[in-house]
Amino acid sequence: MLTRLALILCFSFFMSASMATTVVETETKANNEELTQTVFELERSVAILQLSKASLDDYQIMSEKMAHIESLESRVDFFAVLTFLLCLALVVLFVQVRNQHKRLSLLELDSKM
């Protein structure tokens, strides 16, 4: 009887400890989510404040930088497509060379016989 009571107490202790850790973990996750949301809102507020204090020159400089970035983006897109096409051409070339090598080896075998 005493051993059963001790086992029940140990079992309840382990269950309560595991339940307490899950409660602490969920509270920690909730706090982290709230903290992340608060940091995001603060960063957004700072960005809005900086834009509201910007002058016309700042907007023009930002517009020029955006135009420069867009031109760089189009160049990168062009070079990415060009690189892809060159790789594709190399694959086709290697396949053609392999097929031609097979044909040549077959012709050599036929000529030896």
Side-chain angles (χ1 to χ4, degrees), residues 7-48:
L7 286 174
I8 290 173
L9 284 174
C10 288
F11 181 71
S12 64
F13 172 73
F14 287 126
M15 288 300 293
S16 64
S18 66
M19 290 173 63
T21 56
T22 57
V23 168
V24 169
E25 288 175 359
T26 56
E27 289 176 358
T28 305
K29 287 180 183 177
N31 288 340
N32 285 342
E33 289 175 3
E34 290 175 8
L35 184 63
T36 304
Q37 184 65 27
T38 304
V39 168
F40 175 75
E41 290 174 0
L42 285 173
E43 288 176 347
R44 188 181 73 188
S45 298
V46 167
I48 290 171

Side-chain angles (χ1 to χ4, degrees), residues 39-70:
V39 168
F40 175 75
E41 290 174 0
L42 285 173
E43 288 176 347
R44 188 181 73 188
S45 298
V46 167
I48 290 171
L49 183 62
Q50 287 175 346
L51 284 176
S52 66
K53 289 184 176 182
S55 66
L56 182 61
D57 293 334
D58 295 334
Y59 285 117
Q60 289 174 347
I61 290 170
M62 196 181 333
S63 171
E64 291 171 2
K65 287 183 180 180
M66 288 300 294
H68 180 68
I69 289 173
E70 288 174 358

Side-chain angles (χ1 to χ4, degrees), residues 50-99:
Q50 287 175 346
L51 284 176
S52 66
K53 289 184 176 182
S55 66
L56 182 61
D57 293 334
D58 295 334
Y59 285 117
Q60 289 174 347
I61 290 170
M62 196 181 333
S63 171
E64 291 171 2
K65 287 183 180 180
M66 288 300 294
H68 180 68
I69 289 173
E70 288 174 358
S71 69
L72 288 178
E73 182 181 0
S74 65
R75 289 181 194 166
V76 168
D77 288 342
F78 171 74
F79 286 124
V81 168
L82 185 65
T83 304
F84 173 74
L85 289 176
L86 285 174
C87 290
L88 191 62
L90 280 174
V91 168
V92 169
L93 179 70
F94 285 134
V95 168
Q96 291 294 329
V97 166
R98 183 172 164 249
N99 288 341

